[in-house]
Amino acid sequence: MTDQEQTGNDEEESEEEEFELEGFMSREEGATVLRRLADGVENGSVELGGDEGTVTISEQFEVEVEYEEEEDEAELEVELEWSMGDGAPVSAEEESDEDESEVAETSETEADGEE
């Protein structure tokens, strides 16, 4: 089963796209899905399937692996996260340059205010 949700926020002009693959499968089928994702990450893009499109993966990203166990179920989540700019992944180097630029602009503004 797949769900895709696209919503716009009136307060912000950004759009959020979401694709979710959820359903019951065997360990073998689950491993096949994970291998396909891993191959896509390694190659720089992941096909979501059908009409859902392709996701371009950033050269560097944050990885979070979370395991949660409750009395009646367990959950293992793998999450990859990176910054986006103008609809494309922003490399860590570009993001660092932007952060330095923002710090410089803030420092200049503060210095102007002291004069």
Side-chain angles (χ1 to χ4, degrees), residues 11-109:
E11 293 177 19
E12 297 177 25
E13 290 189 18
S14 65
E15 283 192 5
E16 182 178 308
E17 290 190 39
E18 187 174 300
F19 171 83
E20 188 174 275
L21 172 67
E22 184 175 17
F24 289 95
M25 58 185 71
S26 68
R27 281 195 306 230
E28 183 179 334
E29 292 167 325
T32 298
V33 169
L34 292 172
R35 279 189 201 95
R36 186 178 63 99
L37 287 171
D39 289 345
V41 169
E42 186 173 34
N43 294 322
S45 66
V46 173
E47 287 222 18
L48 300 177
D51 297 334
E52 306 303 331
T54 301
V55 174
T56 302
I57 308 296
S58 180
E59 284 290 325
Q60 294 194 355
F61 47 83
E62 181 181 346
V63 177
E64 180 181 336
V65 178
E66 182 181 332
Y67 176 73
E68 189 176 317
E69 188 173 324
E70 296 178 6
E71 190 173 309
D72 60 343
E73 81 176 0
E75 182 177 332
L76 178 62
E77 263 183 56
V78 178
E79 186 174 299
L80 311 179
E81 186 174 322
W82 58 89
S83 295
M84 297 287 287
D86 294 326
V90 176
S91 72
E93 184 176 295
E94 289 172 332
E95 189 173 355
S96 177
D97 290 347
E98 287 176 12
D99 291 345
E100 289 174 12
S101 176
E102 288 175 14
V103 169
E105 288 175 14
T106 302
S107 296
E108 288 174 12
T109 303

